[in-house]
Amino acid sequence: MEWRVHSVCMLSGLKYLMVCIFSVILVIGFSEHLLFSTHLTWQPVDRSSVREIQLEDRNSLSTSDNRPLLVLGILSAELNSDFRNASRSTWLSTVSILQDTLPFRIIYKFLLDQPTNDTIVENDKYNDILFLNDTHQGRAVKFGYKLYVWYKYIYEYYPDTLLAVKLDDDVFLCVPQLLKRLNELKSTKLYYGKANKWETNPFAPYIDEMFVVVGKDLLERIVKRKYCTEQCNKTIDLIDTNYGDTSLVSWLSIYDDVDFQGDNHRIVYKLSFETIALDHVKPLFCLRYVLCHKSSIQVMKQLHEYNKPVLVSDAVTGSIFSGDIVRTLLPMPSLATHHNAFAIMDKMPGCDNWAVVTTINYPTKAVKSMASLPNWCLVIVADTKTPLESTYLSEIVMKNNSNYSKIIKYLSVKEQTILYPLLSEIIPLNTFGRKNIGYMYAIHHKAKLIWDFDDDNDGIVDINDFKKHFHYVTVCKHSQNILLNPYPYFGGKETRTWPRGFPLQYIKSNETLPKLCTSRRNVQLGIVQSLANNQPDVDAIYRMTRDVPFNFGASRTFHPPLVLPRGTYAPFNAQATLWFAPSFAYMALPLSVNGRVSDIWRSYIAQCFLHSKNMCLAFSSPYVIQDRNAHDILRDFNAELDLYQKSKQLVEFLSLQQNSFRQYENLDFVELYKQLYTRQYIEQLDIQFAEAWTKTLASITESA
């Protein structure tokens, strides 16, 4: 039998007379089945003495739902009801709306020290407050104890919890994005959040207490130890540093199997000033970040407006590609080991500047123009349908040019097999992917620059325009977003002109058209994409609905190159692109997707690595004119379906990954391809290709 003392306070008329009515209610039953209970004596929360805890019946949790359980504790204060209501109406409402589609079952509580009349009334309304029975008040006073009490509560009342979360009430969560990230990292020993490196803390780095996640095993270890206030054993007891984060890291310091996951580049931390915060908040915020700390109520509402879910009925609409992990890696046959070498040098001399093209046509104007440039070497990657070498070269080699063999290489299928046996074995014949062998040939032959072009794109970037300290424009400070549409800056024919591969969801978004500022600050360029006049690179939807051909209105005199800042993505192609040596490792064109998708996937993947290595992508006014080969637009549309359905999700995934790939580029490249396979962007063939590419590249580097 338990007694509950409950005060109900009312304001009376103009005199604001407080009338408190005390009622004593007899409640019969065990405490673990009560929705609301209070003891007359104050004791720490535990199974035998639960005071002022509203508790969902554990039996009400669906036993048929096999998703892991995640429990959120939102530390708040009595007077912060506005923040609690803002959370309820924004990101917590998203949890409620999406509860059946999220990768976790979710339970949340607001954590308050002690009940007051107002908070009791609030809890009667929302049934989501847990009173910790803590008399310590003030900033940085026994926050370790509050965390300990929260962990004990989870352990006792939700023993099947996989991940336990504590966050502050001024944190806004990008719910689908955060839970997707936690689903990728989930483990019973997870320790996740924003990593701090406080030099005076012997246990640094540690996870900041404004948002911290621990896995089930770590939670259990903590609650089975003694919380100590005096005469403590530092190696056994839980010692409180007054801060939740430094207390927690000291508790975990005795274990050597903690899965530490600092995710700083996905977390916006301490946006203390309203003007700065609002300037930082953009419609694409949750594509880049998973949470925002020090959010004002206005910031929470604005972020929610940008990120709120839109629910549609399956009966009247199709499905949307998620980009989530939907399959596991299957055992793959080992790459052929019978080759004596992965890359064999022929008699062709080295060259600083190489142009690479693959074709099945007779020499076009673009190929002939390229072959005539004195400071460039050209490799023509043949396929089974390409005219024979003697016929092909006879049409592009002038009779009085006796040195053509030093600058033009016709790379036959037979030579491809001999010189690069591993790549030739993996890459199917009669595919766009054979161009990869041409890239490798140029790298092998001492390339410092590679011009990647198609045989219907006539012209080439003037490398003198990109010398050190060249003049360019870039996104102004505080205007950066994850996506940028470069075409409007260069004077596209219509207000909304977009490149092939640009996510269709954002072709009308003003956020992808940021304010630009001029600069001469030195940047390391990795890639330069030249736009094309006459037949610009646009997708089939554009061609079916807009006027093409057209020319860009920009000139190189009045429109300097557009350099994308780190973390901003835009698609580029394999039709007219200049690559600098530090970026060569990322030239690989995926094989298992259509050629109209392959170069776009390559462009986004390459940018992921460029961002992690502080290299930049630039777009330039047209240096080339495309005289487009014959195309069937409906066939192009079908070939581009992956671009329409998956580009947005791919950019989102890569944006979250880019800072993870920093050290071992070969291993990172293959690992990224494996992750893309599990998310259905590419097929298993490309994992083998990535391994063949990196092995061949490594053999060239070692022999150099």
Side-chain angles (χ1 to χ4, degrees), residues 33 56-63:
H33 294 299
E56 296 93 339
D57 186 344
R58 283 172 292 171
N59 294 326
S60 69
L61 294 175
S62 173
T63 57

Side-chain angles (χ1 to χ4, degrees), residues 112-144:
L112 274 66
D113 289 341
Q114 295 186 7
T116 64
N117 290 332
D118 288 342
T119 55
I120 289 174
V121 172
E122 180 183 350
N123 192 41
D124 283 345
K125 180 177 181 180
Y126 295 106
N127 194 36
D128 63 358
I129 297 176
L130 174 68
F131 299 103
L132 298 175
N133 189 20
D134 182 17
T135 58
H136 303 106
Q137 296 184 355
R139 186 177 183 274
V141 178
K142 297 298 180 183
F143 275 32

Side-chain angles (χ1 to χ4, degrees), residues 76-91:
S76 189
E78 174 194 351
L79 300 180
N80 283 11
S81 60
D82 287 347
F83 275 92
R84 292 193 291 278
N85 286 330
S87 295
R88 291 182 182 112
S89 64
T90 59
W91 65 268

Side-chain angles (χ1 to χ4, degrees), residues 10 17 78 157 162 236 284 328 342 370 386 400 410 489 509 527 581 633 639 668:
M10 299 176 291
L17 176 64
E78 174 194 351
Y157 288 98
L162 176 64
I236 300 176
L284 303 182
T328 58
F342 297 142
M370 196 67 237
T386 308
N400 60 353
Y410 180 100
Y489 164 71
S509 171
I527 303 164
I633 296 180
D668 291 341

Side-chain angles (χ1 to χ4, degrees), residues 136 142 144-145 148 226-233 237-242 251:
H136 303 106
K142 297 298 180 183
Y145 176 74
Y148 172 70
K226 183 181 73 172
Y227 177 86
C228 184
T229 56
E230 56 186 26
Q231 297 182 349
C232 303
N233 184 332
D237 298 334
L238 304 178
I239 299 175
D240 199 331
T241 68
N242 281 326
W251 302 345

Side-chain angles (χ1 to χ4, degrees), residues 11 24 63 73 98 166 178 252 281 293 299 506 597 609 631 650:
L11 296 177
V24 180
T63 57
L98 299 180
K166 177 268 164 188
L178 173 66
L252 297 177
V281 172
H293 179 221
V299 166
Y506 297 112
V597 175
F609 286 100
H631 281 253
L650 177 61

Side-chain angles (χ1 to χ4, degrees), residues 31 38 132 288 312 345 355-356 361 407 416 467 494 561 567-568 605 618 643 663:
S31 61
T38 303
L132 298 175
R288 166 170 285 176
V312 291
M345 181 66 80
V356 179
N361 302 313
I407 61 172
Q416 295 169 33
K467 297 293 186 182
E494 301 184 37
T568 296
I605 294 168
L643 298 182
Q663 295 180 347

